[in-house]
Amino acid sequence: MKINFIDLHKQYLGLKRQIDSAISRVITSSAFIGGKDVELFEREFAAYCEAKHCIAVNSGTDALRAICHVLGIGPGDEVIVPANTFIATALAVSSIGARPVFVDCRESDLNIDPTKIEKEITRRTKAIIPVHMFGQSADMSSIRSIAKKRGLFLIEDACQAHGATFKGTRVGSFGRAAAFSFYPSKNLGAYGDGGAIITNDADLKDKLRLYREYGQEKKNVFTSQGINSRLDGLQAAILRVKLPHLDEWNQKRLKVAEWYRQALAGSGVTTPATRKDRVPVFHVFVIRTSHRDALKQFLEEKGVSCGIHYPVPIHLQQAYRDLGYKKGDLIVAEKAATQMLSLPMFPELTKKEVNYIATQIKAFFKALNYV
């Protein structure tokens, strides 16, 4: 059996008529930058996130970078970020001249460990950026309490968590602002790069809109220095077709995750832990095993495509060598980096395919015991 890590073509086939029509509409109108579809998508995605404002930009990374810049974070400042995340979270901080300060993750859910945040806060700390890893919310009650007590900005990196909830509230509205990514493989993905900022702060919304468009208040009138970071009309039109299906797709991901848990019980791998006060959306389904690399090779030989998120923690990447971190500083993230294996996860995955994957994993460990 051949099973892709993600199959975007299956999703397209289910929406082909609507997506083709949306693309044709934008091309006919020539509304390639900005336009009605962008405005409507901003309105619709804000409503979906249970927030007041959405500012569409060209990537999740730019969303984080724009939030930090507009909040006045810059050279000499520090921002708390998880060690266990994609490097874009840290790059958004360092790209504006601030210093990312890495905090270890929890063994249970691999999200940032709130009990380790406060000891990393200094007089230079300006913000905390929790990441809702793999589609499960971080502990926003504890993190928000720390941010409030220490007078810090709280910025959510929700790039993997479209539709996830914490205590019944969708992620994206717990802090001053939140960043989302619409990279094609995301739960809500465009057909190219795309991103958005969610906020309930009207003043921040106005500053972000100005910043994403060169600082241009009106045609050829530049009141501040900004950047060029806009979601194009084609991507907005595609996202508008997909958005009404997001909750259904997330429910299917939850079902696939439960199939995995049942099929992998007693198999020799650790499946993702979830918490009762939050509903994850399983952007990826990450198992853990000390035989990760051998298992990955075995599965791919059996036709199962897998991924690794992420093989080297950010604090040990060469790009951040100047920060002075060394191996052993953040032991949970470092251990997880050697164990995490992402199995195929998308709404169209069938129970038969999940059972095939589980059967191969069990066969791997059975053979391992005989070696």
Side-chain angles (χ1 to χ4, degrees):
M1 190 177 288
K2 173 69 175 174
I3 304 173
N4 294 327
F5 181 63
I6 184 170
D7 195 331
L8 298 177
H9 187 64
K10 283 185 178 179
Q11 185 187 79
Y12 168 67
L13 291 178
L15 298 171
K16 185 179 187 304
R17 182 179 58 81
Q18 301 98 304
I19 287 177
D20 289 354
S21 175
I23 292 172
S24 177
R25 180 181 70 244
V26 174
I27 293 173
T28 300
S29 69
S30 296
F32 299 116
I33 303 296
K36 185 177 180 181
D37 277 295
V38 173
E39 294 173 7
L40 289 173
F41 175 72
E42 288 180 328
R43 196 178 308 165
E44 292 158 4
F45 191 63
Y48 177 83
C49 293
E50 302 170 354
K52 293 179 181 178
H53 311 292
C54 171
I55 304 92
V57 293
N58 74 357
S59 69
T61 309
D62 261 14
L64 285 169
R65 182 173 182 266
I67 294 167
C68 290
H69 174 83
V70 170
L71 288 175
I73 300 168
D77 296 331
E78 296 177 350
V79 177
I80 301 290
V81 299
N84 181 44
T85 183
F86 184 54
I87 197 170
T89 312
L91 289 175
V93 174
S94 54
S95 69
I96 57 169
R99 183 184 191 270
V101 176
F102 299 108
V103 171
D104 212 348
C105 58
R106 292 195 294 202
E107 185 79 39
S108 57
D109 60 9
L110 301 178
N111 269 309
I112 190 170
D113 189 340
T115 67
K116 298 177 180 177
I117 290 177
E118 283 207 80
K119 67 178 182 179
E120 301 298 336
I121 295 173
T122 71
R123 60 182 179 82
R124 298 185 182 88
T125 308
K126 291 295 188 293
I128 306 171
I129 305 181
V131 180
H132 305 304
M133 282 302 297
F134 307 138
Q136 180 166 206
S137 172
D139 183 352
M140 296 313 295
S141 291
S142 298
I143 298 169
R144 186 161 59 173
S145 177
I146 294 169
K148 183 177 181 181
K149 181 174 73 171
R150 303 300 291 264
L152 305 175
F153 295 123
L154 178 56
I155 303 164
E156 292 176 77
D157 183 336
C159 290
Q160 301 185 13
H162 315 64
T165 65
F166 178 81
K167 295 185 176 180
T169 300
R170 291 198 198 274
V171 299
S173 57
F174 289 95
R176 193 71 179 273
F180 286 85
S181 166
F182 304 123
Y183 185 77
S185 64
K186 302 295 185 180
N187 293 36
L188 180 64
Y191 285 174
D193 275 319
I197 300 163
I198 290 293
T199 183
N200 288 313
D201 186 321
D203 181 58
L204 186 63
K205 176 259 298 183
D206 291 339
K207 291 177 179 177
L208 286 163
R209 289 193 184 282
L210 194 65
Y211 182 67
R212 74 168 176 186
E213 193 120 13
Y214 306 103
Q216 182 174 231
E217 190 171 285
K218 57 184 180 180
K219 187 70 172 178
N220 293 321
V221 176
F222 300 90
T223 56
S224 61
Q225 295 180 22
I227 60 173
N228 173 21
S229 182
R230 299 171 291 191
L231 183 70
D232 68 65
L234 285 168
Q235 303 302 341
I238 291 165
L239 290 167
R240 290 189 65 217
V241 172
K242 289 186 172 190
L243 182 57
H245 301 275
L246 180 55
D247 282 340
E248 177 189 354
W249 291 337
N250 284 342
Q251 284 300 314
K252 288 181 177 178
R253 287 173 180 268
L254 286 170
K255 183 179 289 186
V256 171
E258 187 55 34
W259 290 341
Y260 269 129
R261 284 200 191 93
Q262 293 173 3
L264 291 172
S267 66
V269 302
T270 301
T271 55
T274 56
R275 293 173 177 262
K276 292 181 179 179
D277 60 356
R278 61 206 75 175
V279 178
V281 292
F282 287 104
H283 168 54
V284 289
F285 189 86
V286 177
I287 61 172
R288 294 177 64 181
T289 170
S290 57
H291 303 284
R292 190 266 310 281
D293 294 341
L295 176 58
K296 182 177 186 292
Q297 181 180 343
F298 179 85
L299 287 173
E300 290 180 344
E301 289 171 356
K302 299 297 182 181
V304 179
S305 180
C306 303
I308 298 178
H309 300 80
Y310 301 95
V312 180
I314 311 174
H315 69 286
L316 298 180
Q317 293 282 357
Q318 184 175 346
Y320 286 109
R321 183 178 294 174
D322 62 308
L323 297 183
Y325 289 92
K326 62 185 183 302
K327 191 172 183 179
D329 284 345
L330 303 171
I331 58 174
V332 180
E334 291 170 26
K335 177 185 175 184
T338 68
Q339 298 179 336
M340 294 185 290
L341 180 66
S342 301
L343 300 182
M345 170 55 81
F346 50 92
E348 297 79 16
L349 201 64
T350 67
K351 191 171 187 179
K352 182 179 179 181
E353 290 170 323
V354 169
N355 287 336
Y356 174 80
I357 295 166
T359 297
Q360 300 310 315
I361 291 174
K362 288 177 178 178
F364 170 83
F365 282 100
K366 184 177 181 181
L368 196 67
N369 290 335
Y370 288 120
V371 174

